[in-house]
Structure formats: structure tokens, C-alpha cells
């Protein structure tokens, strides 16, 4: 039987179809929960209804749907969180599970390192949080930050312009003050938790076949020098308008310069020599966790 996992983030909602044959990304939809919350100091009703509509449409084709939320939902005031969970359940007949930052990181790292045999740094980045782990068969060190690409866009809104006016170095310097990174050194940094492979393929950043390890969900890589050089190009010369014209989801590209800067800031701190950008989310870990009845979520009562 197929299971649908809907992971609702601060900016992007990922929909994955899971069964014993593997996991397939069905859609990635931009809903700017965090940005609109900061504007109104409450969840946007329009955003909530958009999400509910997505779930109701999925229920026409699938019986087994698991919906979870990450950073923005973790930080809601208790009363608003309870109201949202109750309303969502009433409208969809489906529970909304709020996953802790630590659990989100654990599940995503599990997903990204299934075929990795050497020590690596795993970068899990989103609109409202960043998690950095040192993985060597188990997670040995971890640091999380309630800071992501949306927060960086709030500081440097010109990063969404056709050409960014803020120099990359200024963005890197600021990101370095906001993102917590454990005291680690890793040759390989795996990017997960978002559309990092999509970004690499669509932004003009050069890449080659991943020869570091064999994982069909991690097919490409690049050296750090290439990543730095091409990120500078993406800030100073690449037309974001042209990139958006070619994209299936133009809105998704809004904060990609911000995310690419956070990636470089962390890569510098851990001394990474190779970057492996993936579209891996926590769906693999979620699917295995759900099957084993071992998921822990926010147990806030709906009554």
C-alpha cells in the first residue's frame, strides 16, 4: 500500500509517495507560512486553507496520508497551536503532527546517509531552521539554529532581485553570526532537507557525477572551489528572472541565494572539500519510523 507523506515547512511543502519500492517526490509547493506569520503575527488563514485544499485533493486518490510540520509550527504560541491543530483535523479528518527540530534532523540524516560509510557533515536547511550534524555511522555531534533562508531574506531582501546588490561576503558574514555549527571537520558535506539538487541543476552551478558513494537519491556532487566560484556568479551575474522563467515552480527560487550563502558559511566552518546536493528530505526516516511505530511528535491535545 502506498503512503503519502506531506512535510509542511516554513516555506515549502513537500509531498512524497512511499512504498516498499522506494520514495517518489510528487510535488513541492510554496506556501510562505513563516513570512506571512511575521507580517501578521499569526498564521495566514489563506495559507492554512491552501494546505487543507492540498490534503483534501490527495485524499481523493490516497487512503494513507501522514502530515507533519516543522519549524514555524513548533514555534507557535500554545493557544494558536491548539486552535490550528483542531481546525486542521476537523477540516481534513487527518492529524497534523509537529516534529521537533532534533527529530527532524535525526530522520533527515538517516535518510541522507543510508549508503555512506565514511564520516560526513549533513546540512539540513529550511526557511526557518538549520541543523548541522557530524555523522559517522551514528550522529556524533549536532547543532541546531532557529534561523534559515527566510530569516536571511528578511535581512537582505535584494537577494530576490534579478541581480543581488548585496555582496556575497556580506551575506556570509551575517550568516556566520546566526548559524550554530558543531566543532567538526568533514571532507564531505551532504545537503538535505530541501531542493538542493534542484537548485544545482537549475541555477547554473556546475556539477558532476557523485563518485564519493553510490545513492540514486544523491547522483551529483561538486568540489568546494567550484561551489564558491559559481555561488559568486549566482549572486553577481546570474539573472534570477531568467532562472525563474525556466522553473516549474518559480516562487521556490525566491530564497535560493540566501540558502546558497548559508551552505557556504557552514562548508567553510567544517572545512568541506566536496558538496553533495540532494533533494532528500526526512521522508525515508519518517516512513521507516512510522512503520516501526517509533515516531515521537508534539502530543498537544486537540480537545
Amino acid at each position: 500500500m502506498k503512503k503519502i507523506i506531506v512535510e509542511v515547512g516554513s516555506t515549502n511543502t513537500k509531498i512524497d509517495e512511499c512504498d516498499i519500492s522506494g520514495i517518489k517526490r510528487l510535488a513541492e509547493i510554496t506556501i510562505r507560512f513563516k513570512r506571512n506569520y511575521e507580517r501578521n503575527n499569526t498564521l495566514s488563514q489563506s495559507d492554512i486553507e491552501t494546505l487543507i485544499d492540498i490534503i483534501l485533493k490527495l485524499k481523493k486518490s490516497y487512503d494513507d496520508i501522514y502530515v507533519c510540520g516543522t519549524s514555524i509550527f513548533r514555534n507557535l504560541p500554545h493557544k494558536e497551536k491548539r486552535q490550528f491543530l483542531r481546525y486542521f483535523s476537523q477540516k481534513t479528518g487527518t492529524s497534523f503532527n509537529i516534529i521537533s527540530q532534533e527529530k527532524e534532523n535525526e530522520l533527515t540524516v538517516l535518510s541522507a546517509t543510508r549508503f555512506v560509510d565514511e564520516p560526513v557533515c549533513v546540512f539540513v536547511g529550511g526557511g526557518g531552521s538549520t541543523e548541522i550534524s557530524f555523522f559517522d555511522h551514528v550522529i556524533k555531534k549536532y547543532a541546531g539554529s532557529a534561523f534559515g533562508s527566510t530569516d536571511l531574506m528578511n535581512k537582505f531582501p535584494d537577494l530576490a532581485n534579478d541581480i543581488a546588490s548585496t555582496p556575497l561576503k556580506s551575506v556570509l558574514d551575517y550568516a556566520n553570526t546566526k548559524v550554530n555549527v558543531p566543532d567538526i571537520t568533514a571532507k564531505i558535506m551532504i545537503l538535505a532537507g530541501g531542493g538542493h539538487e534542484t537548485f544545482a541543476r537549475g541555477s547554473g552551478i556546475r556539477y558532476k557525477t557523485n563518485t564519493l558513494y553510490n545513492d540514486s537519491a544523491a547522483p551529483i556532487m561538486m568540489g568546494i572551489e567550484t561551489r564558491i566560484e559559481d555561488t559568486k556568479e549566482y549572486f553577481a551575474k546570474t539573472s534570477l528572472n531568467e532562472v525563474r522563467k525556466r522553473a516549474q515552480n518559480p516562487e521556490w527560487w525566491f530564497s535560493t541565494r540566501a540558502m546558497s550563502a548559508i551552505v557556504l558559511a557552514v562548508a567553510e566552518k567544517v572545512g568541506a572539500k566536496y558538496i553533495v546536493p540532494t533533494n532528500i528530505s526526512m521522508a525515508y526516516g519518517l516512513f521507516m519510523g512510522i512503520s516501526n511505530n517509533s515516531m515521537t511528535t508534539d502530543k498537544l491535545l486537540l480537545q
Side-chain angles (χ1 to χ4, degrees), residues 194-215:
H196 299 283
E197 181 186 345
T198 298
F199 168 72
R201 293 184 184 277
S203 64
I205 286 183
R206 291 168 290 170
Y207 57 86
K208 56 186 179 181
T209 300
N210 182 6
T211 57
L212 300 169
Y213 59 94
N214 185 22
D215 183 350

Side-chain angles (χ1 to χ4, degrees), residues 262-273:
I262 298 173
V263 166
L264 281 190
V266 174
E268 180 181 6
K269 285 186 176 181
V270 305
K273 302 300 181 186

